[in-house]
Amino acid sequence: MSIEIVKGDLTRQGDVEAIVNAANRSLLGGGGVDGAIHRAAGPELLAECRTLNGCATGEAKLTGAYRLPCRYVIHTVGPIWQGGGHGEAELLAKCYQSCIRLASEHGIPSVAFPSISTGAYRYPLEQAAAIAVGAVKDAMAQCAPELKVRFVLFDDRTYDAYRRALDSCRKD
Ligand code: APR
């Protein structure tokens, strides 16, 4: 099972076929990694997103990548942290599962994820990292055993949390 963790910028991953955008339900852009992806992809990405009629939390939709160095962008919408009692964990896991299912359906061999929901959506990082790694492992085992997955983390704190999550997942 190929899951790697790197510190870097998701918009510069030229050796993966798809990158995942942590979008909002409108799919019409925003800040954070969403803003970085739209800035790097150029206006054609927004034009295509306008045709998608938004995206529900936990779901995923596919577009081209335009001026980005990869081929596709998979847009998903993570849950906004509301204290943990509103199904946030299940919805966050569903984001990763939906993205991996979509990649599998389109024969995409490699996908890079950001740390979904741990920025503006304020999901506690340690919990999110454990959910992300667990959900990716389960989804790959179910429908995409050959998929290559990379987590691209933007700062040391996030990188360390995902490193710990992957190490403890490998011990299980
Ligand atoms: N590459 C990789 N990771 C990045 C990049 C980048 N270029 N830019 C930001 N990140 C990281 C953040 O540091 C954080 O760890 O992505 C993670 C997710 O943070 P957000 O982008 O804020 O995403 P999220 O918490 O899911 O909130 C989504 O924010 O940008 C808006 O439109 C978006 O409304 C939506 C909300």
Side-chain angles (χ1 to χ4, degrees):
M1 188 159 296
S2 169
I3 303 177
E4 65 168 341
I5 289 184
V6 301
K7 180 161 168 265
D9 182 338
L10 193 63
T11 66
R12 295 179 183 281
Q13 303 300 308
D15 59 340
V16 292
E17 191 149 304
I19 63 170
V20 171
N21 182 19
N24 59 57
R25 287 184 305 180
S26 74
L27 292 186
L28 300 180
V33 71
D34 192 6
I37 286 172
H38 277 275
R39 274 194 303 279
E44 300 99 322
L45 178 60
L46 182 58
E48 183 175 0
C49 285
R50 285 193 199 288
T51 70
L52 298 178
N53 193 26
C55 183
T57 300
E59 300 299 330
K61 292 194 176 179
L62 185 81
T63 67
Y66 304 100
R67 299 174 197 171
L68 283 160
C70 56
R71 214 165 140 208
Y72 300 103
V73 179
I74 297 175
H75 304 263
T76 193
V77 182
I80 297 171
W81 180 251
Q82 302 174 71
H86 299 76
E88 294 99 319
E90 291 76 18
L91 283 167
L92 183 59
K94 194 176 170 196
C95 285
Y96 292 96
Q97 290 153 4
S98 302
C99 292
I100 286 173
R101 189 180 332 108
L102 203 57
S104 168
E105 286 164 1
H106 287 80
I108 294 171
S110 52
V111 181
F113 287 95
S115 174
I116 299 169
S117 280
T118 64
Y121 282 1
R122 308 189 60 71
Y123 206 112
L125 178 55
E126 295 297 325
Q127 295 176 53
I131 290 166
V133 171
V136 162
K137 273 190 77 174
D138 292 350
M140 287 171 77
Q142 273 162 25
C143 68
E146 300 306 312
L147 183 68
K148 293 194 179 324
V149 168
R150 177 181 301 161
F151 286 99
V152 181
L153 307 156
F154 209 42
D155 56 64
D156 291 335
R157 177 174 162 269
T158 306
Y159 176 88
D160 292 345
Y162 277 73
R163 179 81 272 153
R164 282 194 293 276
L166 189 58
D167 290 347
S168 64
C169 210
R170 282 186 171 148
K171 287 194 189 93
D172 297 352

